[in-house]
Amino acid sequence: MPTTPQLRDKLPVVRARGWRALTRWPGSYLLVARSGSPLVVIGDLAGQHPVYYRTDGSGIWWATAASALAAWTGPRST
């Protein structure tokens, strides 16, 4: 999990929208970053904090549990 100083050190990366660099810390974490209008949600690569998402006309909905996402947005039809 990133420490507070590690997060501060990555602020220039966020401003430059270098999202991939935010996935390189060891351990399990969920990260939410914004630079201007994009909001980026990064689940850890170990899968301990997965991020589920779906898009619709109003934007992107995301949650860390598929059941919560379905409760907010309704079931997705295929």
Side-chain angles (χ1 to χ4, degrees):
M1 181 166 102
T3 64
T4 299
Q6 287 173 317
L7 290 171
R8 280 192 198 116
D9 288 346
K10 290 298 182 191
L11 284 175
V13 173
V14 170
R15 289 184 188 111
R17 298 182 184 171
W19 310 125
R20 185 174 301 274
L22 303 176
T23 66
R24 296 192 178 128
W25 286 301
S28 181
Y29 56 90
L30 174 70
L31 188 98
V32 180
R34 179 183 297 271
S35 177
S37 115
L39 174 72
V40 178
V41 181
I42 299 171
D44 71 317
L45 299 178
Q48 296 299 307
H49 299 284
V51 177
Y52 300 92
Y53 70 95
R54 66 177 285 186
T55 60
D56 64 18
S58 63
I60 299 173
W61 295 79
W62 64 273
T64 57
S67 58
L69 183 61
W72 290 335
T73 64
R76 185 174 195 114
S77 59
T78 56

Coordinates of all heavy atoms in Angstrom, one line a residue:
M1 N 0.8 -1.2 0.0 CA 0.0 0.0 0.0 C 0.9 1.2 0.0 O 1.9 1.3 0.8 CB -0.9 0.0 1.2 CG -1.8 1.2 1.3 SD -3.1 0.9 2.5 CE -2.5 1.9 3.9
P2 N 0.6 2.2 -0.9 CA 1.4 3.4 -0.9 C 1.3 4.2 0.4 O 0.2 4.3 1.0 CB 0.9 4.2 -2.1 CG -0.3 3.5 -2.5 CD -0.5 2.2 -1.8
T3 N 2.4 4.8 0.8 CA 2.5 5.7 1.9 C 2.1 7.1 1.5 O 2.1 7.4 0.3 CB 3.8 5.7 2.6 OG1 4.8 6.3 1.6 CG2 4.3 4.3 3.0
T4 N 1.8 8.0 2.5 CA 1.5 9.4 2.1 C 2.6 10.0 1.3 O 2.3 10.7 0.3 CB 1.2 10.1 3.4 OG1 0.0 9.5 4.0 CG2 0.8 11.6 3.1
P5 N 3.9 9.9 1.7 CA 4.9 10.5 0.9 C 5.0 9.9 -0.5 O 5.2 10.7 -1.5 CB 6.2 10.2 1.7 CG 5.8 10.0 3.1 CD 4.4 9.4 3.0
Q6 N 4.7 8.6 -0.7 CA 4.7 8.1 -2.0 C 3.6 8.7 -2.8 O 3.8 8.9 -4.0 CB 4.6 6.5 -1.9 CG 5.8 5.8 -1.5 CD 5.5 4.3 -1.2 OE1 4.5 3.9 -0.7 NE2 6.5 3.5 -1.7
L7 N 2.5 8.9 -2.2 CA 1.4 9.5 -3.0 C 1.7 10.9 -3.4 O 1.4 11.3 -4.5 CB 0.1 9.4 -2.1 CG -0.5 8.1 -1.9 CD1 -1.7 8.1 -0.9 CD2 -1.0 7.5 -3.2
R8 N 2.3 11.7 -2.4 CA 2.7 13.0 -2.8 C 3.7 13.1 -3.9 O 3.6 14.0 -4.8 CB 3.2 13.7 -1.5 CG 2.2 14.2 -0.6 CD 2.8 15.2 0.5 NE 1.9 15.3 1.6 CZ 2.1 14.9 2.8 NH1 3.3 14.3 3.1 NH2 1.2 15.0 3.7
D9 N 4.6 12.1 -3.9 CA 5.6 12.1 -4.9 C 5.0 11.8 -6.3 O 5.6 12.2 -7.3 CB 6.7 11.0 -4.7 CG 7.6 11.3 -3.5 OD1 7.6 12.5 -3.1 OD2 8.3 10.4 -3.0
K10 N 3.9 11.2 -6.4 CA 3.2 10.9 -7.6 C 2.3 12.0 -8.1 O 1.7 11.9 -9.2 CB 2.4 9.6 -7.5 CG 3.3 8.3 -7.4 CD 4.2 8.2 -8.6 CE 5.0 6.9 -8.4 NZ 6.0 6.7 -9.4
L11 N 2.1 13.1 -7.4 CA 1.3 14.2 -7.9 C 1.7 14.7 -9.3 O 0.8 14.9 -10.1 CB 1.2 15.3 -6.9 CG 0.4 15.0 -5.6 CD1 0.5 16.2 -4.7 CD2 -1.1 14.8 -6.0
P12 N 3.0 14.8 -9.6 CA 3.3 15.2 -11.0 C 2.9 14.2 -12.0 O 2.5 14.5 -13.1 CB 4.8 15.4 -10.9 CG 5.2 15.6 -9.5 CD 4.1 14.8 -8.7
V13 N 2.9 12.9 -11.6 CA 2.5 11.8 -12.5 C 1.0 12.0 -12.8 O 0.5 11.8 -13.9 CB 2.8 10.5 -11.9 CG1 2.3 9.3 -12.7 CG2 4.3 10.3 -11.8
V14 N 0.2 12.2 -11.7 CA -1.2 12.4 -11.9 C -1.5 13.6 -12.8 O -2.3 13.5 -13.7 CB -1.9 12.6 -10.5 CG1 -3.4 13.0 -10.7 CG2 -1.8 11.3 -9.7
R15 N -0.8 14.7 -12.6 CA -1.0 15.9 -13.4 C -0.7 15.6 -14.9 O -1.3 16.2 -15.8 CB -0.2 17.1 -12.9 CG -0.7 17.6 -11.6 CD 0.1 18.8 -11.1 NE -0.4 19.2 -9.7 CZ 0.4 19.0 -8.6 NH1 1.6 18.6 -8.7 NH2 -0.1 19.4 -7.5
A16 N 0.3 14.8 -15.1 CA 0.7 14.4 -16.5 C -0.2 13.3 -17.0 O 0.0 12.8 -18.2 CB 2.2 14.0 -16.5
R17 N -1.1 12.7 -16.2 CA -2.0 11.6 -16.6 C -1.2 10.4 -16.9 O -1.5 9.6 -17.8 CB -2.9 12.0 -17.7 CG -3.8 13.2 -17.3 CD -4.7 13.6 -18.3 NE -5.5 14.7 -17.9 CZ -6.3 15.4 -18.6 NH1 -6.5 15.1 -19.9 NH2 -7.0 16.5 -18.1
G18 N -0.2 10.1 -16.1 CA 0.6 8.9 -16.3 C 0.1 7.8 -15.4 O 0.7 7.3 -14.5
W19 N -1.1 7.3 -15.8 CA -1.9 6.4 -14.9 C -1.2 5.1 -14.6 O -1.2 4.5 -13.6 CB -3.3 6.2 -15.5 CG -4.0 7.4 -15.8 CD1 -4.5 7.7 -17.1 CD2 -4.3 8.5 -15.0 NE1 -5.1 8.9 -17.0 CE2 -5.0 9.5 -15.8 CE3 -4.1 8.9 -13.7 CZ2 -5.5 10.7 -15.3 CZ3 -4.5 10.1 -13.2 CH2 -5.2 11.0 -14.0
R20 N -0.5 4.6 -15.6 CA 0.2 3.3 -15.5 C 1.2 3.3 -14.3 O 1.3 2.3 -13.6 CB 0.9 2.8 -16.7 CG 1.4 1.4 -16.7 CD 2.0 1.0 -18.0 NE 1.0 0.9 -19.0 CZ 0.2 -0.1 -19.3 NH1 0.3 -1.2 -18.5 NH2 -0.7 0.0 -20.3
A21 N 1.8 4.4 -14.1 CA 2.8 4.5 -13.0 C 2.2 4.3 -11.6 O 2.9 4.0 -10.7 CB 3.6 5.8 -13.1
L22 N 0.9 4.5 -11.6 CA 0.2 4.4 -10.3 C -0.2 2.9 -9.9 O -0.8 2.7 -8.9 CB -1.1 5.2 -10.3 CG -0.9 6.7 -10.6 CD1 -2.2 7.5 -10.6 CD2 0.0 7.3 -9.5
T23 N 0.2 2.0 -10.8 CA -0.1 0.6 -10.6 C 1.1 -0.2 -10.1 O 1.1 -1.4 -10.0 CB -0.7 -0.1 -11.9 OG1 0.4 -0.1 -12.9 CG2 -1.9 0.6 -12.4
R24 N 2.2 0.5 -9.9 CA 3.5 -0.2 -9.6 C 3.9 -0.4 -8.2 O 5.0 -0.9 -7.9 CB 4.6 0.5 -10.4 CG 4.3 0.4 -11.9 CD 5.5 0.9 -12.7 NE 5.2 0.7 -14.1 CZ 5.3 1.7 -15.0 NH1 5.8 2.8 -14.7 NH2 5.0 1.5 -16.3
W25 N 3.1 0.1 -7.3 CA 3.4 -0.1 -5.9 C 3.1 -1.6 -5.5 O 2.2 -2.2 -5.9 CB 2.6 0.8 -5.0 CG 3.0 2.2 -5.0 CD1 4.2 2.7 -4.7 CD2 2.1 3.3 -5.4 NE1 4.2 4.1 -4.8 CE2 2.9 4.5 -5.2 CE3 0.8 3.5 -5.8 CZ2 2.4 5.8 -5.5 CZ3 0.3 4.7 -6.0 CH2 1.1 5.9 -5.9
P26 N 3.9 -2.1 -4.5 CA 3.6 -3.5 -4.1 C 2.4 -3.4 -3.1 O 2.0 -2.4 -2.6 CB 4.9 -3.9 -3.3 CG 5.5 -2.6 -2.9 CD 5.1 -1.6 -3.9
G27 N 1.8 -4.6 -3.0 CA 0.7 -4.7 -2.0 C -0.6 -4.5 -2.7 O -0.8 -4.4 -3.9
S28 N -1.6 -4.4 -1.9 CA -3.0 -4.4 -2.3 C -3.6 -3.0 -2.0 O -3.5 -2.5 -0.8 CB -3.8 -5.5 -1.6 OG -5.1 -5.4 -2.1
Y29 N -4.2 -2.3 -3.0 CA -4.7 -1.0 -2.7 C -5.7 -0.6 -3.8 O -5.7 -1.2 -4.9 CB -3.6 0.1 -2.7 CG -2.7 0.1 -3.9 CD1 -3.1 1.0 -5.0 CD2 -1.6 -0.7 -4.0 CE1 -2.3 1.0 -6.1 CE2 -0.8 -0.6 -5.1 CZ -1.1 0.2 -6.2 OH -0.4 0.2 -7.3
L30 N -6.5 0.3 -3.5 CA -7.5 0.9 -4.5 C -7.2 2.4 -4.5 O -7.0 3.0 -3.5 CB -8.9 0.7 -4.0 CG -10.0 1.4 -4.8 CD1 -10.2 0.7 -6.1 CD2 -11.3 1.4 -4.0
L31 N -7.0 2.9 -5.8 CA -6.6 4.3 -5.9 C -7.6 5.0 -6.8 O -8.0 4.5 -7.8 CB -5.2 4.3 -6.6 CG -4.5 5.7 -6.6 CD1 -3.6 5.8 -5.4 CD2 -3.8 5.8 -7.9
V32 N -7.9 6.2 -6.4 CA -8.8 7.1 -7.2 C -8.0 8.4 -7.4 O -7.5 9.0 -6.4 CB -10.1 7.4 -6.5 CG1 -11.0 8.3 -7.3 CG2 -10.9 6.1 -6.1
A33 N -7.8 8.8 -8.7 CA -7.1 10.0 -9.0 C -7.8 10.8 -10.0 O -8.5 10.3 -10.8 CB -5.7 9.6 -9.5
R34 N -7.6 12.1 -9.9 CA -8.3 13.1 -10.9 C -7.2 14.1 -11.3 O -6.5 14.6 -10.5 CB -9.4 13.8 -10.2 CG -10.1 14.8 -11.2 CD -11.2 15.5 -10.5 NE -12.3 14.7 -10.1 CZ -13.4 14.4 -10.8 NH1 -13.5 14.8 -12.0 NH2 -14.3 13.7 -10.3
S35 N -7.3 14.3 -12.6 CA -6.5 15.4 -13.2 C -7.3 16.1 -14.2 O -7.6 15.6 -15.3 CB -5.2 14.8 -13.9 OG -4.5 15.9 -14.5
G36 N -7.9 17.2 -13.8 CA -8.8 17.9 -14.7 C -10.1 17.1 -14.7 O -10.6 16.7 -13.7
S37 N -10.6 16.9 -15.9 CA -11.9 16.2 -15.9 C -11.8 14.6 -15.8 O -12.7 14.0 -15.3 CB -12.6 16.6 -17.2 OG -12.8 15.5 -18.1
P38 N -10.7 14.0 -16.2 CA -10.7 12.5 -16.0 C -10.6 12.1 -14.6 O -9.8 12.6 -13.8 CB -9.5 12.0 -16.8 CG -8.9 13.1 -17.4 CD -9.6 14.4 -17.0
L39 N -11.4 11.2 -14.2 CA -11.4 10.5 -12.9 C -11.0 9.1 -13.1 O -11.6 8.4 -13.9 CB -12.7 10.6 -12.1 CG -12.8 9.8 -10.8 CD1 -12.0 10.6 -9.8 CD2 -14.2 9.6 -10.4
V40 N -9.9 8.6 -12.5 CA -9.3 7.3 -12.8 C -9.5 6.5 -11.5 O -9.1 6.9 -10.4 CB -7.8 7.4 -13.2 CG1 -7.3 6.0 -13.4 CG2 -7.7 8.2 -14.5
V41 N -10.0 5.3 -11.7 CA -10.1 4.3 -10.5 C -9.3 3.1 -10.9 O -9.5 2.5 -11.9 CB -11.6 3.9 -10.3 CG1 -11.7 3.0 -9.2 CG2 -12.5 5.2 -10.1
I42 N -8.3 2.8 -10.0 CA -7.4 1.8 -10.3 C -7.5 0.7 -9.2 O -7.3 1.0 -8.0 CB -5.9 2.3 -10.3 CG1 -5.8 3.3 -11.5 CG2 -4.9 1.2 -10.5 CD1 -4.5 4.1 -11.5
G43 N -7.9 -0.5 -9.5 CA -7.9 -1.6 -8.6 C -6.5 -2.2 -8.6 O -5.7 -2.1 -9.5
D44 N -6.2 -2.9 -7.5 CA -4.8 -3.5 -7.4 C -4.7 -4.6 -8.4 O -5.6 -5.3 -8.7 CB -4.5 -3.8 -6.0 CG -5.3 -5.0 -5.5 OD1 -6.5 -5.1 -5.8 OD2 -4.7 -5.9 -4.9
L45 N -3.5 -4.9 -8.8 CA -3.2 -6.0 -9.7 C -3.3 -7.3 -9.1 O -3.5 -8.3 -9.8 CB -1.8 -5.8 -10.3 CG -1.6 -4.5 -11.1 CD1 -0.2 -4.4 -11.6 CD2 -2.6 -4.3 -12.2
A46 N -3.3 -7.4 -7.8 CA -3.4 -8.7 -7.1 C -4.9 -9.1 -7.0 O -5.2 -10.3 -6.7 CB -2.9 -8.6 -5.7
G47 N -5.8 -8.3 -7.3 CA -7.2 -8.6 -7.3 C -7.9 -8.6 -6.0 O -9.0 -9.1 -5.8
Q48 N -7.2 -8.1 -5.0 CA -7.8 -8.0 -3.6 C -8.9 -6.9 -3.5 O -9.8 -7.0 -2.7 CB -6.7 -7.8 -2.6 CG -5.7 -8.9 -2.5 CD -6.4 -10.2 -2.1 OE1 -7.1 -10.3 -1.1 NE2 -6.2 -11.2 -2.9
H49 N -8.7 -5.9 -4.3 CA -9.7 -4.8 -4.4 C -10.1 -4.6 -5.8 O -9.7 -3.7 -6.5 CB -9.1 -3.5 -3.8 CG -8.6 -3.6 -2.4 ND1 -9.5 -3.6 -1.4 CD2 -7.4 -3.7 -1.9 CE1 -8.9 -3.7 -0.2 NE2 -7.6 -3.8 -0.5
P50 N -11.0 -5.5 -6.3 CA -11.4 -5.4 -7.7 C -12.3 -4.1 -7.9 O -12.9 -3.7 -7.0 CB -12.1 -6.7 -8.0 CG -12.7 -7.1 -6.7 CD -11.6 -6.6 -5.7
V51 N -12.3 -3.7 -9.1 CA -13.2 -2.5 -9.5 C -14.1 -3.0 -10.6 O -13.6 -3.5 -11.7 CB -12.4 -1.3 -10.0 CG1 -13.3 -0.2 -10.4 CG2 -11.5 -0.8 -8.8
Y52 N -15.4 -3.0 -10.4 CA -16.4 -3.3 -11.4 C -16.9 -2.0 -12.0 O -17.1 -1.1 -11.2 CB -17.5 -4.1 -10.7 CG -17.0 -5.4 -10.1 CD1 -16.6 -5.5 -8.8 CD2 -16.9 -6.6 -10.9 CE1 -16.1 -6.6 -8.2 CE2 -16.4 -7.7 -10.3 CZ -16.0 -7.8 -9.0 OH -15.6 -8.9 -8.4
Y53 N -17.2 -2.0 -13.2 CA -17.7 -0.8 -13.8 C -18.6 -1.1 -15.0 O -18.7 -2.2 -15.5 CB -16.5 0.1 -14.3 CG -15.8 -0.4 -15.5 CD1 -16.2 0.0 -16.8 CD2 -14.8 -1.4 -15.4 CE1 -15.6 -0.5 -17.9 CE2 -14.2 -1.9 -16.5 CZ -14.5 -1.4 -17.8 OH -13.9 -2.0 -18.9
R54 N -19.4 -0.1 -15.3 CA -20.3 -0.1 -16.5 C -20.5 1.3 -17.0 O -20.4 2.3 -16.2 CB -21.6 -0.9 -16.3 CG -22.5 -0.2 -15.3 CD -23.8 -0.9 -15.2 NE -24.6 -0.6 -16.4 CZ -25.9 -1.0 -16.5 NH1 -26.4 -1.7 -15.6 NH2 -26.5 -0.8 -17.6
T55 N -20.8 1.4 -18.2 CA -21.1 2.8 -18.8 C -22.5 2.8 -19.3 O -23.1 1.8 -19.5 CB -20.1 3.0 -20.0 OG1 -20.4 2.1 -21.0 CG2 -18.7 3.0 -19.6
D56 N -23.0 4.1 -19.3 CA -24.3 4.3 -19.8 C -24.3 5.8 -20.3 O -23.3 6.4 -20.3 CB -25.5 4.0 -18.9 CG -25.5 4.9 -17.6 OD1 -24.8 5.9 -17.6 OD2 -26.1 4.5 -16.6
G57 N -25.5 6.3 -20.7 CA -25.6 7.6 -21.2 C -25.1 8.7 -20.3 O -24.8 9.8 -20.7
S58 N -25.2 8.4 -19.0 CA -24.8 9.4 -18.0 C -23.3 9.4 -17.6 O -22.9 10.2 -16.8 CB -25.7 9.3 -16.8 OG -25.5 8.1 -16.1
G59 N -22.6 8.4 -18.1 CA -21.2 8.3 -17.7 C -20.8 6.9 -17.3 O -21.3 5.9 -17.8
I60 N -19.8 6.8 -16.4 CA -19.3 5.5 -15.9 C -19.6 5.4 -14.5 O -19.4 6.3 -13.7 CB -17.7 5.5 -16.1 CG1 -17.4 5.6 -17.6 CG2 -17.2 4.2 -15.5 CD1 -15.9 5.7 -17.8
W61 N -20.2 4.2 -14.2 CA -20.5 3.9 -12.8 C -19.5 2.8 -12.3 O -19.1 1.9 -13.1 CB -21.9 3.2 -12.7 CG -23.0 4.1 -13.1 CD1 -23.4 4.5 -14.3 CD2 -23.9 4.7 -12.2 NE1 -24.5 5.3 -14.3 CE2 -24.8 5.5 -12.9 CE3 -24.0 4.8 -10.8 CZ2 -25.8 6.2 -12.4 CZ3 -25.0 5.5 -10.2 CH2 -25.9 6.2 -11.0
W62 N -19.0 2.9 -11.1 CA -18.0 2.0 -10.6 C -18.3 1.6 -9.2 O -18.9 2.4 -8.4 CB -16.6 2.4 -10.8 CG -16.2 3.6 -10.0 CD1 -16.4 4.9 -10.4 CD2 -15.6 3.7 -8.7 NE1 -15.9 5.8 -9.4 CE2 -15.4 5.0 -8.4 CE3 -15.2 2.7 -7.8 CZ2 -14.9 5.4 -7.2 CZ3 -14.6 3.1 -6.6 CH2 -14.5 4.4 -6.3
A63 N -17.9 0.5 -8.8 CA -18.0 0.0 -7.4 C -16.9 -1.1 -7.1 O -16.4 -1.6 -8.1 CB -19.4 -0.6 -7.1
T64 N -16.7 -1.4 -5.9 CA -15.8 -2.5 -5.6 C -16.5 -3.8 -5.3 O -15.9 -4.8 -5.0 CB -14.9 -2.1 -4.3 OG1 -15.8 -1.8 -3.2 CG2 -14.0 -0.9 -4.6
A65 N -17.8 -3.8 -5.5 CA -18.6 -5.0 -5.4 C -19.6 -5.0 -6.6 O -20.3 -4.1 -6.8 CB -19.3 -5.1 -4.1
A66 N -19.7 -6.2 -7.3 CA -20.6 -6.3 -8.5 C -22.0 -6.1 -8.0 O -22.8 -5.5 -8.7 CB -20.4 -7.6 -9.2
S67 N -22.3 -6.6 -6.8 CA -23.7 -6.5 -6.3 C -24.1 -5.1 -6.0 O -25.2 -4.7 -6.3 CB -23.9 -7.4 -5.1 OG -23.0 -7.0 -4.1
A68 N -23.2 -4.3 -5.5 CA -23.5 -2.9 -5.3 C -23.7 -2.1 -6.6 O -24.6 -1.3 -6.7 CB -22.3 -2.2 -4.5
L69 N -22.9 -2.4 -7.6 CA -23.0 -1.8 -8.9 C -24.4 -2.1 -9.5 O -25.1 -1.3 -10.0 CB -21.9 -2.2 -9.8 CG -21.9 -1.6 -11.2 CD1 -21.7 -0.1 -11.1 CD2 -20.7 -2.2 -12.0
A70 N -24.8 -3.4 -9.4 CA -26.1 -3.8 -9.9 C -27.2 -3.1 -9.2 O -28.2 -2.8 -9.8 CB -26.2 -5.3 -9.9
A71 N -27.1 -3.0 -7.9 CA -28.1 -2.3 -7.1 C -28.3 -0.8 -7.5 O -29.4 -0.3 -7.5 CB -27.8 -2.4 -5.6
W72 N -27.2 -0.2 -7.8 CA -27.2 1.2 -8.2 C -27.8 1.4 -9.6 O -28.5 2.3 -9.9 CB -25.9 1.9 -8.1 CG -25.3 2.1 -6.8 CD1 -26.0 2.2 -5.6 CD2 -23.9 2.2 -6.4 NE1 -25.2 2.4 -4.5 CE2 -23.9 2.4 -5.0 CE3 -22.8 2.1 -7.1 CZ2 -22.7 2.5 -4.3 CZ3 -21.6 2.3 -6.4 CH2 -21.6 2.5 -5.1
T73 N -27.3 0.6 -10.5 CA -27.6 0.8 -11.9 C -28.6 -0.2 -12.6 O -29.0 0.0 -13.7 CB -26.3 0.7 -12.8 OG1 -25.8 -0.6 -12.7 CG2 -25.3 1.7 -12.2
G74 N -29.0 -1.2 -11.8 CA -29.8 -2.2 -12.3 C -29.0 -3.3 -13.1 O -27.9 -3.0 -13.4
P75 N -29.6 -4.4 -13.3 CA -28.9 -5.5 -14.0 C -28.5 -5.1 -15.4 O -29.3 -4.4 -16.0 CB -29.8 -6.7 -13.9 CG -31.1 -6.1 -13.7 CD -31.0 -4.8 -13.0
R76 N -27.4 -5.6 -15.9 CA -27.0 -5.3 -17.3 C -27.6 -6.3 -18.2 O -27.4 -7.5 -17.9 CB -25.5 -5.2 -17.3 CG -25.1 -4.8 -18.7 CD -23.6 -4.6 -18.7 NE -23.2 -3.9 -19.9 CZ -22.7 -2.6 -19.9 NH1 -22.5 -2.0 -18.8 NH2 -22.5 -2.0 -21.1
S77 N -28.3 -5.9 -19.2 CA -28.8 -6.9 -20.2 C -27.8 -7.1 -21.3 O -27.0 -6.2 -21.6 CB -30.1 -6.4 -20.8 OG -29.9 -5.2 -21.4
T78 N -27.7 -8.3 -21.8 CA -26.7 -8.6 -22.8 C -27.4 -8.8 -24.2 O -28.6 -8.9 -24.3 CB -26.0 -10.0 -22.5 OG1 -27.0 -11.0 -22.3 CG2 -25.1 -9.8 -21.3

